Amino acid sequence: HVQLVESGGGSVQAGGSLKLSCVASEPLSTWMGWFRQAPGKDREGVAAIYTALGGANYADSVKGRFTISRDIAQNTVFLQMDSLKPEDTALYYCAASGTAAIKPLFASGYYSWGQGTQVTVS
């Protein structure tokens, strides 16, 4: 499976911004997604992008604040996070799926996962 490495996490005050990056070890998969998991909570789909066309899906909780994008030449997916809130605090994971017919914000459709990068909003 493709290896994914996330970076860009950190600590920021509410209202601030962070940009996460996910570098894949091979060309980007059909769907690339960002998920997050806060302590004691289930993993949640945040955003996903259909690599070929660039179409994106977002969780309601982040619409208008987060933007997913990709650089196909660099095998990289980004998550621009603006207007961050304390409830955005979580470990953020990048994920890859080679299947087109998935529910993009559901973890079950993805087969490769990164190790995660921590985002803390105070």
Side-chain angles (χ1 to χ4, degrees):
H1 288 314
V2 59
Q3 295 184 351
L4 305 171
V5 179
E6 304 98 333
S7 63
S11 297
V12 65
Q13 291 188 336
S17 298
L18 285 173
K19 186 173 185 177
L20 306 184
S21 299
C22 170
V23 180
S25 60
E26 58 187 52
L28 296 177
S29 299
T30 303
W31 281 99
M32 300 296 298
W34 284 99
F35 292 77
R36 66 187 182 187
Q37 189 165 18
K41 294 188 176 182
D42 293 334
R43 190 167 294 190
E44 173 191 20
V46 174
I49 190 166
Y50 189 71
T51 298
L53 300 178
N57 295 62
Y58 296 95
D60 288 344
S61 58
V62 306
K63 281 181 181 176
R65 301 189 298 121
F66 290 12
T67 304
I68 188 171
S69 61
R70 84 279 191 246
D71 184 331
I72 294 174
Q74 297 295 322
N75 295 347
T76 303
V77 179
F78 304 98
L79 185 68
Q80 176 68 45
M81 305 186 296
D82 299 318
S83 302
L84 282 161
K85 304 175 181 180
E87 50 263 45
D88 294 319
T89 295
L91 189 60
Y92 282 71
Y93 297 91
C94 177
S97 174
T99 303
I102 64 169
K103 295 181 179 179
L105 297 180
F106 283 72
S108 59
Y110 293 82
Y111 60 78
S112 289
W113 294 83
Q115 293 299 306
T117 184
Q118 178 68 36
V119 171
T120 302
V121 185
S122 59

